[in-house]
Amino acid sequence: MTGVWVLVGVLAVSVVLGFALRAREGRVRTGTALAALPAQVRELIDPGSAVTLVQLSTTFCAPCRHTRVLLADLAERTEGLRHRELDLTDLPEVAAQLKVLRTPTTLALGADGAELLRVGGVPKREVLAEALRPHLPA
């Protein structure tokens, strides 16, 4: 009988964790202050754009492909917005410097390299567009 209670407990904890992780998926957070951007990321910033979306991906990340399409389309349709991608597969030191715990992670960087926003997981298009609006030209 004890085994059944343990199984029920583990199942309950798993369900709660699953809902918690799902709620965080694609959530836009304000940027974190970084001491310095790694050179690999700094090179991707477009100084002629108000915001550069830097997508941090890995080679075998399926959600990264969906994110790439979504961000490229959003950047194409939005003035002052650019999309770039960096593969972190062979760059664990860059992931550590940027405090990236999962892929895809999208950083919205200003022309000066300041992190404006951060999204873990596949972003929700409308939510991201609304969060970026104050940082883009009118």
Side-chain angles (χ1 to χ4, degrees):
M1 189 65 171
T2 303
V4 171
W5 288 112
V6 169
L7 180 62
V8 169
V10 168
L11 213 58
V13 168
S14 298
V15 168
V16 169
L17 284 175
F19 281 122
L21 289 174
R22 180 175 282 194
R24 292 186 60 179
E25 175 75 20
R27 192 179 83 198
V28 176
R29 298 180 297 156
T30 56
T32 57
L34 298 170
L37 279 177
Q40 296 91 331
V41 176
R42 206 174 323 107
E43 292 170 1
L44 297 175
I45 296 173
D46 182 353
S49 297
V51 178
T52 301
L53 297 175
V54 177
Q55 177 186 340
L56 305 169
S57 304
T58 52
T59 304
F60 300 106
C61 169
C64 294
R65 293 183 196 103
H66 181 67
T67 300
R68 180 181 311 119
V69 171
L70 186 146
L71 295 178
D73 183 59
L74 182 64
E76 186 177 307
R77 296 171 186 247
T78 307
E79 184 181 338
L81 185 64
R82 294 292 173 264
H83 170 245
R84 303 287 188 259
E85 186 173 3
L86 180 63
D87 188 341
L88 295 178
T89 303
D90 297 323
L91 301 170
E93 68 283 352
V94 173
Q97 281 181 300
L98 294 173
K99 300 177 178 127
V100 173
L101 301 176
R102 63 184 291 195
T103 57
T105 292
T106 303
L107 304 177
L109 303 172
D112 61 353
E115 184 178 324
L116 307 171
L117 305 169
R118 179 181 287 235
V119 181
V122 179
K124 295 171 179 67
R125 178 189 297 267
E126 296 78 22
V127 175
L128 180 59
E130 185 62 34
L132 288 170
R133 189 164 285 127
H135 305 287
L136 295 169

